[in-house]
Amino acid sequence: MGENTMIATRGLTKVYGEKVAVNHLDLSINEGEIFGLLGPNGAGKTTTILMLLGLTEPTLGEATINGIDCTRNSIQVKRITGYLPDNVGFYPDMTGRENLRFTGRLNGLDGKKMESKIDDLLERVGMTYAQHQKTGTYSKGMRQRLGIADVLMKDPKVIIMDEPTLGLDPEGMREFLTLIKQLSVEDGRTVLVSSHQLYQIQQICDRVGIFVSGSLVAAGKIEDLGRQLAKEGHYTLEVAAYPCDDRFLGFIHNMTGVTGIEKEGDKFVVHSSRDLRKEITGFLGTNRYTLLHLRQKGGDLDEIYRCYFEKAGQDEKHEQENKNGKHIFGTKQTKK
Ligand code: ATP
């Protein structure tokens, strides 16, 4: 564990009956960092968060925040950790300001100090205008922004957010992401944000962890994950040619190393385990096709995510088939 590690898990595991929801998770998040825990529904993100907050006990392993054990000393952990669930619950018949007062009192604040803190926070999240409106009438975006103000009432070192951008419109999303970024850049807080909305979240994260079926299959800076994939032999090529006929598609389909082909508009997107560019351009030249577009993709989060999913899926399949004593054949898919 590094000197400035704020959140750490070692072998953190949660099993529900037969289901391994979180599988030996080793995670280390630095102070002041925004870390994105990314994965599809059911990957184990919420379960991880619940263990960090001491709301559910791990089956194995341990988690600490600022060196404090999340299971044994959950009250201490909660003192320094703010939690924003995917659907923040406020008292709907109370105004935004009254809701913040309620949280303030729970955290030992009162009087002028509390009122001035509320003023500052409402201002910060852009909710001063709606402070006297009942929260039952708030939109999702307004609730999320008030949710940040609510979390900040106790001035936490660490903020954990579960799918915070779900259901926000593009404008609301942009504003909300800016707010999250400020929590780290301006305040130096550590932020753990879980999401399956890759594009949005990647814009603000210092590092991401990709979670698939309870396991962290990759973690790091987005550009490092992209480089790592290229080293491991994951290539994605966009290619368009005229004529775009069955012969051309058949050629790509039969190339060694091709693991998948998708059609995107007038382009083919080809996934492979090796660089195909030379062979494809050779085929096009020899057969008098016109090359319209050729681009090796890589490095963007969507691509990284897809590759790691594929890898995790293959590993699982290998494991399953090894168990069943079956031989494995590669599959090729053509989606039109
Ligand atoms: P989502 O975004 O859909 O909430 P997630 O990545 O947060 O997904 P979890 O909610 O942590 O995933 O769920 C991980 C797995 O554990 C899922 O298969 C889920 O069905 C299972 N699971 C979660 N909570 C329980 C529980 N209390 N009892 C049994 N199984 C559970």
Side-chain angles (χ1 to χ4, degrees), residues 217-235:
V217 293
K221 291 190 174 145
I222 289 157
E223 57 271 26
D224 292 343
L225 295 183
R227 258 183 246 128
Q228 178 67 22
L229 276 179
K231 251 198 248 155
E232 289 177 8
H234 291 269
Y235 294 88

Side-chain angles (χ1 to χ4, degrees), residues 96-104 118 122 146 149-150 153:
R97 189 170 194 101
E98 285 164 353
N99 269 284
L100 293 185
R101 271 193 197 123
F102 185 83
T103 304
I118 291 175
L122 283 168
L146 192 72
D150 191 66
M153 282 303 287

